[in-house]
Amino acid sequence: MENFILEMDKGELHVHLNGLVSSELVIKLLNNNIIDIPQGFDLEKDLNIIKPAKSLSSYLKPWDLLRFVPKSRSDLTLIVFDAFENLRKSNVRFVELRNSILYIALLNEVNVDVAMAWLLEDVSRASEFYDIKAGLILTVTRGDYSLEQLRSLLNAYIKLGKPDLIVGLDLAGNEDINVSSALAYEFVRAKTEFGLKITIHAGETGNFENIVIAVNDFKADRIGHGTAAIKSQPTLELLKEKDICVEVCPISNRLTNAVGESESHPVIEFINNEVPFVICSDNPSIHRSSITQDYIEFYRETKSSLHIKKMLEIQKKYSFIKGLSCK
Ligand SMILES: [Zn+2]
């Protein structure tokens, strides 16, 4: 099965650009730019999470450094091409990359629309070079400034003429922070007005109510992780009835401790309850891993070769990139 998985064509619907770029490249770029490495940070070790983290905040430690790259236009190009090179190694045929873009603008002292145009150009070139179809998802972080972030991203999107390459919106970050109804309203407005699809990181840290909010208030088309759905039968049924696809990231879920060591993975309950799902990798390079390893981990947990064999078709069905299903 491992060889079959390695060689099969794959789609990737949940991966963060910062978590896909190789740590070796990040170290090289950090060294070139002579930034002050935060105290107590070991470059060789702390950019990777290979054992279950004690908490989500300790899982997020690599981002203390990742937020210092790219420090130039050309560094961004290197990052994007390296990310696509990693996808190619796993035979990924289409990818939806996520990024919040605002830190790129801040780091390089350019407007958000400039940073967005850089990223779009690089993703478009790398997509063509590697023959991997691509879409970009704009990530908003949960917190006091979510609404400002979303508005600033949407303004840049409009200024650039609503590029087709941008396919969706994502909400990520600390799930304990309550989201405002104004934020949900803006997500839905973007969906209605611009046809952007919506995916929400929800139910990763144990709170199934965030999944219900994502579906009902944010009109989410897909849910990131959604592991807590198994705590609530009505939530599982809601996902099934509304045909909301869960982005299952087996390795990430173990390393963030969303799924504890002694627990079986919730994807087994998704299968039992006919909740649609896709296998994704989240932050493969942080895990010193790849989406191939996530498929292998999924197979180890479920022993379902049927889902592996059907996965590409399922990914095409739920992808935000248009036209994948048409032969
Ligand atoms: Zn994620």
Side-chain angles (χ1 to χ4, degrees):
M1 197 64 192
E2 286 197 17
N3 276 342
F4 178 82
I5 289 173
L6 186 65
E7 281 165 25
M8 68 185 284
D9 285 349
K10 301 175 193 71
E12 167 66 278
L13 305 189
H14 185 141
V15 67
H16 300 263
L17 175 63
N18 277 341
L20 178 58
V21 57
S22 310
S23 304
E24 289 70 23
L25 177 62
V26 174
I27 292 171
K28 201 173 119 193
L29 297 181
L30 287 170
N31 283 334
N32 286 351
N33 288 309
I34 325 167
I35 65 139
D36 287 329
I37 307 293
Q39 266 206 335
F41 211 102
D42 181 343
L43 269 187
E44 300 299 325
K45 267 189 5 212
D46 293 341
L47 271 172
N48 303 109
I49 303 290
I50 51 172
K51 281 192 291 208
K54 288 192 181 70
S55 63
L56 196 59
S57 69
S58 57
Y59 173 82
L60 294 173
K61 189 170 183 187
W63 279 266
D64 288 348
L65 277 182
L66 284 164
R67 65 192 171 87
F68 290 110
V69 292
K71 197 78 185 75
S72 68
R73 174 77 186 86
S74 54
D75 282 3
L76 177 62
T77 306
L78 290 173
I79 287 171
V80 172
F81 273 72
D82 177 87
F84 273 79
E85 177 70 34
N86 288 338
L87 294 169
R88 190 197 56 79
K89 287 178 193 156
S90 279
N91 279 330
V92 171
R93 308 302 300 169
F94 54 93
V95 60
E96 293 177 17
L97 266 181
R98 299 167 189 227
N99 191 260
S100 67
I101 298 178
L102 301 176
Y103 72 99
I104 302 176
L106 212 64
L107 205 53
N108 292 277
E109 295 172 0
V110 295
N111 290 335
V112 177
D113 58 295
V114 174
M116 191 180 277
W118 288 357
L119 185 56
L120 286 167
E121 193 190 333
D122 286 344
V123 169
S124 168
R125 282 176 47 216
S127 163
E128 201 171 314
F129 184 81
Y130 287 100
D131 194 20
I132 298 173
K133 287 198 176 67
L136 189 63
I137 294 178
L138 308 177
T139 294
V140 172
T141 310
R142 288 176 193 264
D144 293 343
Y145 299 102
S146 302
L147 197 55
E148 283 87 343
Q149 281 184 24
L150 177 60
R151 286 187 177 146
S152 145
L153 288 168
L154 288 175
N155 284 341
Y157 167 75
I158 293 164
K159 195 167 174 189
L160 296 178
K162 299 177 232 160
D164 289 340
L165 203 55
I166 296 177
V167 294
L169 297 175
D170 165 40
L171 183 64
N174 186 346
E175 281 193 58
D176 294 336
I177 300 172
N178 284 331
V179 287
S180 67
S181 51
L183 184 67
Y185 178 84
E186 285 296 317
F187 265 77
V188 177
R189 200 169 67 90
K191 179 172 177 165
T192 320
E193 257 181 50
F194 311 130
L196 293 171
K197 299 280 190 172
I198 291 172
T199 175
I200 307 281
H201 282 74
E204 183 183 11
T205 48
N207 187 346
F208 68 82
E209 277 151 5
N210 283 342
I211 302 171
V212 179
I213 293 170
V215 173
N216 290 337
D217 298 353
F218 285 78
K219 306 292 175 213
D221 299 283
R222 296 197 315 244
I223 296 291
H225 304 295
T227 42
I230 58 162
K231 292 182 178 175
S232 153
Q233 191 61 31
T235 306
L236 287 170
E237 276 157 29
L238 179 75
L239 294 170
K240 183 191 167 190
E241 292 310 316
K242 296 216 166 197
D243 197 20
I244 310 282
C245 178
V246 180
E247 301 153 1
V248 170
C249 310
I251 292 174
S252 172
N253 293 156
R254 293 284 175 193
L255 295 177
T256 57
N257 244 324
V259 182
E261 232 168 318
S262 57
E263 299 167 61
S264 53
H265 195 282
V267 74
I268 293 168
E269 286 306 312
F270 297 162
I271 293 173
N272 292 341
N273 287 276
E274 297 174 47
V275 171
F277 67 89
V278 285
I279 305 171
C280 314
S281 71
D282 206 12
N283 296 300
S285 296
I286 301 291
H287 309 150
R288 290 227 169 266
S289 173
S290 66
I291 189 168
T292 299
Q293 294 303 322
D294 279 284
Y295 275 59
I296 292 170
E297 180 67 9
F298 168 83
Y299 182 68
R300 195 187 63 75
E301 302 247 14
T302 63
K303 295 282 173 285
S304 172
S305 53
L306 184 69
H307 282 90
I308 298 276
K309 285 178 182 150
K310 286 197 316 198
M311 192 43 58
L312 188 68
E313 280 313 308
I314 300 171
Q315 286 161 334
K316 283 181 183 174
K317 178 178 173 192
Y318 291 100
S319 174
F320 297 165
I321 302 170
K322 290 194 182 88
L324 289 175
S325 294
C326 320
K327 291 269 153 65

